[in-house]
Amino acid sequence: MNPTPFPAWSAYRPPKPSLPGATTAIVLGVVGVAAGLCCLLPLAAAPLAWFHGARALRLDDREPGSWQGRGRARTGLVLGVIGTVALLVATLVMIAVGALLWLTLLAPSPY
């Protein structure tokens, strides 16, 4: 019995490295949007998700086919944009409510 030798080529390819910042972007985006619905403080993570997602996508555009995780980076970017818009709207609402309260406190009472 002669053992069969292994072929000179292999069908196995090692996986591509994960795109740096892609996982960070999606985690920050989910935390910013999901937890931001409960209280406003986690919405501050949304601009960071936008930044990391955009940076990861730029890196993947410079070296196409070298990385995996473009979907995570894009999802983090989109969640970061949504969370940043929500953060801006919440900030404007708080400023408007604060201004109205301030104006009502300064108004003379008719009584």
Side-chain angles (χ1 to χ4, degrees):
M1 292 190 152
N2 201 0
T4 9
F6 289 107
W9 55 273
S10 174
Y12 173 76
R13 288 189 181 138
K16 296 176 185 175
S18 184
L19 195 57
T23 304
T24 305
I26 195 166
V27 167
L28 288 172
V30 168
V31 166
V33 172
L37 295 175
C38 299
C39 63
L40 294 177
L41 186 61
L43 277 176
L48 294 172
W50 188 354
F51 169 75
H52 284 287
R55 187 177 65 165
L57 287 175
R58 277 194 307 269
L59 178 63
D60 191 44
D61 288 341
R62 270 187 265 143
E63 302 170 13
S66 301
W67 306 98
Q68 68 177 0
R70 185 172 177 87
R72 287 190 308 254
R74 182 175 290 135
T75 303
L77 175 83
V78 169
L79 288 173
V81 170
I82 291 169
T84 302
V85 169
L87 177 65
L88 292 174
V89 168
T91 302
L92 291 175
V93 166
M94 283 192 279
I95 289 172
V97 168
L100 286 174
L101 286 174
W102 184 65
L103 289 173
T104 56
L105 290 176
L106 288 181
S109 175
Y111 301 106

